[in-house]
Amino acid sequence: METTLRGVGVSHGVAIGEVRHMGTAVLEPPAEQISPGDASREQTRARQAVEAVAADLNARGRLAGGEAQAVLEAQALMAQDPELIADVERRIAVGSTAERAVYDAFASYRALLAGAGEYLAGRVADLDDVRNRIVARLLGVPMPGVPVSDEPFVLIARDLAPADTALLDPALVLAFVTEEGGPTSHSAILARALGVPAVVALRGAGEVAEGTLIAVDGGTGEVFVEPSEAKRAALTEAAAVRKAALAASSGPGATSDGHKVPLLANIGGPADVPAAVAAGAEGVGLFRTEFLFLDDSAEAPSEEKQVEAYRQVLEAFPEGRVVVRVLDAGADKPLNFLTPADEPNPALGVRGLRSLLDHPDVLRTQLRALARASEGLPVYLEVMAPMVADRQDARAFAEACREVGLAAKFGAMVEIPSAALRARSVLQEVEFLSLGTNDLAQYTFAADRQVGAVSRLQDPWQPALLDLVALSAEAAKAEGKSCGVCGEAASDPLLACVLTGLGVTSLSMGAASLPYVRATLAKYTLAQCERAAAAARATDSADEARRAAQAVLSGE
């Protein structure tokens, strides 16, 4: 009998296939004791396992490339955390086996982080995956992972670690559904990059039996269990119509009445450029530069190394716009040479621009590298700072850019509500704004973006978040400057129309989402987008906002 489940759709597309569950294993080692004479041997085993897991994560990152590489390299750094390793060795010294010491040290680390604000503890899949990989290696058992199958299937898991998501084969894994996670989790972001339909935060997904036929709609978040032939036919037809519309859609982003809305790509480095170019990106709206710094946690990359990486990206978009975000370190992206190790709440501490202003040599080197990389190129380079809170932050960043003679526009990311509320003040110092809706939602609603239990508050359709977007866009218009969106909100085609109606001047997203947004935007006039935006803001919940906008655009 057909039943419908609803989670959070995080990656567009429809897939129909049989269920396969992520393999599981009991990875809690026995609490055995060792003799004092064995401590040195066990400590060596632990260190070797840690290094092997870190090397494997780095290798997977290099294979996956782009944004996935940055995520997996961050996990490798987590495995090699000096405090964790020291804790493991202390536990071994008092009698624990290597595997038990690792297990207990990670449990203690999780408890500590939860008490410090849950920002990192919310990344359960990331943290547990690192622990499980180390313990599995020490126990000599295989890691649970994506099931082996000769036929394509729909993968169901409690959650997916980035190491699993990054290397999914789209030819075999038609879609995935998870019980945990949120719309801005690492797995959701990587699913969009792969172009695999995905639904997260679906409670009860694990109860769907192995081999059951299901249909997954990554746009609506609906999962149809044992769908009827009529339902399968309807979904297949809708998918075919959508595919045809995408194939017919090309050229610059614009509404049906010719209002231009540049559609840009979010990238993590040179490896992401080919997909962005193939999808027709008009430039880059968010170049995350962290990937280069995560290669080595001990020190910042040299200016020469940075110049080489930046120039590869800039050369790919001649006469296009490339918006570079300077290093956003801290919180979930700690760097040993830059971020404090003992902050009680890293998400609310010294991260982003705050870290760079505390280490001006790192900022100057990056800005000089960008200046050199853009020399002689016709590209329109724009550089923006993450985590700008007020005009003082914006002024400090602009002054740093001018000091190195950077010939580019200087901008500020709006990720903190204060920056949206005082956007006109911030714009007295910089030339453009870019809304990072992932963090803006997190800080507006006090809802960790990695915690599935609060995914309702991470929904970018929340009217309060739309209000902040509108405030920023209105301020930019009043100052004669631009205001784009580079957060994951821009990848939702319907929401892209609403953002356009709110006055946003450009939209940036993962390459896989560009055709969907381009085709949808081209169906409506600017006036329709404005009415949809007004209808969404007049509601009191994300679901109501989505329905109200849909009703306006469908002519109901």
Side-chain angles (χ1 to χ4, degrees):
M1 180 178 178
E2 180 181 316
T3 57
T4 303
L5 306 175
R6 183 181 289 275
V8 179
V10 296
S11 183
H12 301 292
V14 173
I16 302 172
E18 292 186 357
V19 167
R20 296 288 183 273
H21 286 271
M22 177 70 85
T24 57
V26 177
L27 288 177
E28 180 175 357
E32 298 174 347
Q33 292 288 302
I34 61 171
S35 64
D38 292 333
S40 179
R41 182 196 66 197
E42 291 295 288
Q43 288 173 340
T44 298
R45 286 183 64 227
R47 286 193 296 271
Q48 290 174 340
V50 165
E51 290 306 315
V53 167
D56 178 63
L57 289 168
N58 281 320
R60 285 169 175 260
R62 287 190 294 272
L63 183 62
E67 191 165 6
Q69 183 173 359
V71 172
L72 295 178
E73 287 175 348
Q75 275 198 292
L77 292 176
M78 186 185 297
Q80 296 170 302
D81 183 276
E83 292 188 12
L84 261 176
I85 293 173
D87 190 16
V88 168
E89 294 187 341
R90 282 194 297 270
R91 292 173 187 274
I92 292 173
V94 295
S96 286
T97 61
E99 46 267 37
R100 188 70 207 188
V102 168
Y103 187 89
D104 289 341
F106 267 82
S108 177
Y109 190 43
R110 289 185 65 195
L112 177 65
L113 291 171
E118 297 194 27
Y119 190 89
L120 294 180
R123 294 186 183 275
V124 172
D126 298 45
L127 191 63
D128 285 356
D129 183 57
V130 172
R131 178 203 63 200
N132 287 347
R133 288 177 186 279
I134 298 172
V135 171
R137 183 170 288 272
L138 287 165
L139 290 174
V141 300
M143 264 295 297
V146 178
V148 177
S149 174
D150 294 329
E151 298 295 328
F153 59 91
V154 175
L155 179 64
I156 290 183
R158 181 178 180 84
D159 207 341
L160 281 171
D164 294 316
T165 313
L167 297 181
L168 288 178
D169 181 356
L172 278 178
V173 181
L174 302 172
F176 70 75
V177 179
T178 66
E179 294 190 76
E180 300 294 332
T184 60
S185 66
H186 279 154
S187 290
I189 292 171
L190 294 177
R192 286 188 284 271
L194 289 167
V196 177
V199 173
V200 302
L202 180 62
R203 294 182 181 179
E207 298 173 11
V208 180
E210 184 90 0
T212 302
L213 184 71
I214 67 172
V216 179
D217 189 327
T220 65
E222 292 174 307
V223 173
F224 304 96
V225 181
E226 296 183 341
S228 65
E229 286 189 19
K231 172 64 72 175
R232 296 201 300 272
L235 288 170
T236 301
E237 181 180 357
V241 170
R242 184 182 300 174
K243 184 176 181 180
L246 294 177
S249 174
S250 61
T255 58
S256 63
D257 56 340
H259 175 73
K260 293 182 179 180
V261 186
L263 300 181
L264 313 171
N266 292 345
I267 67 170
D272 291 339
V273 168
V277 173
E282 298 171 59
V284 173
L286 173 61
F287 179 3
R288 301 179 177 97
T289 58
E290 291 76 43
F291 80 99
L292 195 59
F293 289 78
L294 290 171
D295 281 346
D296 184 354
S297 64
E299 60 182 4
S302 69
E303 186 173 323
E304 293 301 325
K305 184 176 181 180
Q306 293 188 54
V307 170
E308 180 183 357
Y310 301 149
R311 195 167 180 90
Q312 287 182 56
V313 174
L314 296 175
E315 287 177 336
F317 295 94
E319 300 185 6
R321 177 186 178 199
V322 175
V323 184
V324 178
R325 180 178 70 189
V326 294
L327 176 61
D328 184 16
D332 62 325
K333 293 168 285 191
L335 294 172
N336 292 339
F337 65 87
L338 195 68
T339 49
D342 56 352
E343 283 192 298
N345 192 337
L348 301 179
V350 183
R351 62 166 293 197
L353 180 61
R354 299 167 186 175
S355 292
L356 292 174
L357 294 179
D358 280 352
H359 297 81
D361 54 326
V362 175
L363 177 58
R364 280 194 298 269
T365 299
Q366 185 172 24
L367 294 175
R368 281 198 307 268
L370 286 165
R372 290 177 55 198
S374 62
E375 286 177 358
L377 297 179
V379 67
Y380 295 96
L381 176 63
E382 301 184 7
V383 182
M384 62 185 181
M387 298 299 292
V388 170
D390 55 16
R391 183 173 180 175
Q392 182 177 331
D393 280 350
R395 182 188 303 121
F397 178 65
E399 289 174 350
C401 291
R402 293 189 189 99
E403 284 176 8
V404 301
L406 182 61
K409 284 187 176 181
F410 319 140
M413 290 198 71
V414 178
E415 301 165 284
I416 303 173
S418 62
L421 294 168
R422 300 286 294 174
R424 289 198 71 171
S425 174
V426 170
L427 283 165
Q428 303 309 303
E429 305 294 341
V430 294
E431 298 171 84
F432 69 93
L433 300 177
S434 185
L435 289 138
T437 52
N438 304 354
D439 270 324
L440 185 57
Q442 173 173 251
Y443 291 124
T444 298
F445 298 104
D448 191 315
R449 55 191 283 192
Q450 300 301 319
V451 179
V454 292
S455 61
R456 175 182 73 84
L457 298 171
Q458 301 156 359
D459 193 324
W461 281 94
Q462 285 285 353
L465 189 66
L466 299 181
D467 287 344
L468 292 175
V469 173
L471 279 174
S472 302
E474 289 164 3
K477 183 177 180 180
E479 295 295 328
K481 298 178 179 180
S482 63
C483 176
V485 169
C486 64
E488 291 301 313
S491 65
D492 179 335
L494 182 62
L495 185 51
C497 295
V498 168
L499 294 172
T500 298
L502 292 174
V504 166
T505 56
S506 66
L507 298 167
S508 189
M509 64 210 74
S513 298
L514 283 164
Y516 293 93
V517 172
R518 183 186 295 112
T520 304
L521 196 60
K523 292 165 58 177
Y524 305 108
T525 65
L526 176 60
Q528 286 176 300
C529 292
E530 289 172 340
R531 289 197 295 273
R537 288 184 68 191
T539 65
D540 294 312
S541 74
D543 287 341
E544 290 174 0
R546 188 181 288 104
R547 287 195 296 269
Q550 182 65 70
V552 169
L553 294 177
S554 62
E556 296 177 9

